[in-house]
Amino acid sequence: MPTLARFTAAALLLTLAACADSSATPPTTTPATATPPATGSATPGTASPPPPTASTSTPSAGPQAADGNDLAACKDGDCEVDIKTDDRIAIDKRFGVERLTISSLDADEVRVTLLGSSGGLRVEGMNVSVSGNCVNGRCRDEGNLSLAPGQPGQINDLRVEVTYLTDDRAILRLSPE
């Protein structure tokens, strides 16, 4: 037998002898238990992530408006709705205002643009501006109004207030007076 082969055989015997310790107890085995398959892929040797749980939270934190985001609920001048920038709210003409448009919304205020029939659009609140415009005998009032929680506004006989405000969401309440 060549020297290299003897050396390799001797190294193998020493390795096997070191592994076969007669004082070692044989490993015990436990019966296998069925576990449900993991949801999602796991890398061998790592724990699987826990399965997803159902969430009961709403997409937007904070209070919820009584009429949700149903802007049509405001037609009669009595509603509480979630609003965002560019929302258009149609109002019954008997209030002297036809439409409110949410022109901007941030954490400090909601800016509302209003369009009304001509002849006495009365607006109260923060940063109010109102102007009349007549073209070919058709006159309209246009205006702007800012609202913030605790700082309501008034458009003729319609109270307008923001009850909740963040930089991307607000709740607007309209009520006839």
Side-chain angles (χ1 to χ4, degrees):
M1 198 172 190
T3 307
L4 183 58
R6 280 187 218 169
F7 180 72
T8 304
L12 182 59
L13 280 174
L14 285 174
T15 303
L16 289 175
C19 290
D21 182 8
S22 61
S23 66
T25 56
T28 58
T29 58
T30 57
T33 57
T35 58
T39 58
S41 62
T43 306
T46 62
S48 297
T53 57
S55 174
T56 57
S57 66
T58 58
S60 299
Q64 299 301 305
D67 296 306
N69 60 0
D70 181 14
L71 303 180
C74 294
K75 184 74 173 170
D76 65 355
D78 191 7
C79 65
E80 183 181 75
V81 291
D82 269 304
I83 57 168
K84 60 187 182 326
T85 301
D86 297 327
D87 278 350
R88 291 179 172 220
I89 303 170
I91 308 291
D92 190 308
K93 291 181 184 181
R94 69 186 161 109
F95 291 103
V97 62
E98 297 172 21
R99 182 179 66 223
L100 304 177
T101 302
I102 309 306
S103 50
S104 68
L105 185 147
D106 61 38
D108 297 323
E109 70 179 6
V110 174
R111 191 96 171 117
V112 179
T113 302
L114 40 122
L115 178 64
S117 55
S118 180
L121 185 61
R122 189 182 84 252
V123 182
E124 298 172 15
M126 299 185 325
N127 303 321
V128 172
S129 69
V130 178
S131 65
N133 182 9
C134 294
V135 176
N136 296 331
R138 293 181 49 179
C139 297
R140 301 196 99 119
D141 288 332
E142 298 174 354
N144 292 299
L145 168 67
S146 291
L147 302 166
Q151 300 290 322
Q154 185 85 18
I155 304 169
N156 295 337
D157 293 328
L158 189 63
R159 182 178 171 87
V160 185
E161 62 184 311
V162 170
T163 61
Y164 177 78
L165 179 61
T166 65
D167 58 350
D168 63 350
R169 179 176 172 255
I171 295 177
L172 180 72
R173 181 183 296 146
L174 302 179
S175 54
E177 294 210 342

